[in-house]
Amino acid sequence: MSPRRRAWTGLALAAALALGACSSSGPTIFQRLGTTVRDTLTRPEAPAAPRERTREELNAIPYATIGVRPPGRGRAILIGLVQNGDYVDYRDTVNRSIRMLGGAVAATEGLFYDLQGVRYDTDDPVAHPTPLEDWPDQLYRSYQFNIREAEGFIVTVSCAYQPVARETIEIVEISFDLMRVTETCSNQRRQFTNTYWVEPDTGFI
């Protein structure tokens, strides 16, 4: 895995995984995950203390990882466990999870409102890496949430992109020369903005 694909950020970087099946006679995947987290991400004197991880620690983890910081909570580190086609599921030992499609979040659990799924069109450059010059002017997405007393809550928005500036950013001790792109999504009732750092030539986020 290249250093760029080892990088992790609160937005997300997806990576292809090759994972063996669990043996009924051996440790479960969550037992192996627990051992990996314990051995590579904690200090003996304070195993539960949240702290920033070093590049050396992250490189020692034998799985792709994503770091997230849920609103009002400490950082969580999720490890890639399952790949199904182009989707990769990242999870920790307390069942917080993110499903990624390319650079796009496709589902979440246990982080804030549970996102059940997103409808991404085939020309959506966040879900399907596309050179920046070929990004569409506008597209539509539908987000479905699992919210108590609002089963099947769906939000459909139109999204437009705006390249902002070429920037050098650091992701855990490695610097990258990227284009910062803002994505503004809205409908008649709501509006939100996402920020991506993109490799212009490949569209990798």
Side-chain angles (χ1 to χ4, degrees):
M1 185 182 297
S2 68
R4 173 169 64 82
R5 288 184 180 269
R6 282 186 177 274
W8 64 310
T9 179
L11 289 176
L13 292 174
L17 304 176
L19 300 177
C22 297
S23 167
S24 60
S25 60
T28 68
I29 196 163
F30 278 98
Q31 289 171 326
R32 297 202 305 273
L33 173 59
T35 299
T36 298
V37 172
R38 183 196 65 205
D39 291 345
T40 61
L41 301 181
T42 61
R43 292 173 174 167
E45 68 273 15
R51 61 184 177 86
E52 296 299 322
R53 308 304 169 184
T54 67
R55 171 58 47 187
E56 183 179 5
E57 287 176 311
L58 293 177
N59 286 347
I61 301 173
Y63 306 101
T65 62
I66 287 180
V68 299
R69 184 175 287 111
R73 308 179 193 178
R75 183 187 296 276
I77 296 176
L78 282 61
I79 296 179
L81 295 178
V82 178
Q83 181 172 2
N84 183 7
D86 293 330
Y87 291 88
V88 182
D89 289 350
Y90 296 79
R91 188 173 294 270
D92 67 7
T93 55
V94 293
N95 283 333
R96 293 176 294 194
S97 68
I98 289 180
R99 174 171 295 170
M100 297 297 301
L101 174 62
V105 176
T108 66
E109 183 178 357
L111 296 172
F112 195 51
Y113 292 119
D114 289 345
L115 177 63
Q116 290 183 312
V118 185
R119 182 181 60 80
Y120 291 105
D121 291 336
T122 56
D123 64 343
D124 193 317
V126 179
H128 308 285
T130 304
L132 191 56
E133 64 180 5
D134 296 328
W135 284 30
D137 294 331
Q138 186 180 39
L139 52 80
Y140 291 88
R141 277 197 211 115
S142 293
Y143 297 81
Q144 182 168 337
F145 294 90
N146 181 17
I147 299 177
R148 185 176 299 176
E149 299 178 356
E151 183 177 354
F153 183 74
I154 297 176
V155 176
T156 299
V157 292
S158 63
C159 301
Y161 301 100
Q162 178 63 52
V164 177
R166 193 94 183 207
E167 295 179 342
T168 299
I169 66 169
E170 182 180 303
I171 303 176
V172 195
E173 304 172 28
I174 299 179
S175 295
F176 302 89
D177 181 26
L178 304 171
M179 178 67 74
R180 175 160 53 95
V181 177
T182 60
E183 173 192 67
T184 302
C185 299
S186 62
N187 59 23
Q188 293 182 339
R189 298 183 57 188
R190 53 181 55 83
Q191 177 175 303
F192 59 90
T193 300
N194 295 317
T195 301
Y196 305 101
W197 281 266
V198 182
E199 287 186 343
D201 293 340
T202 65
F204 185 82
I205 295 174

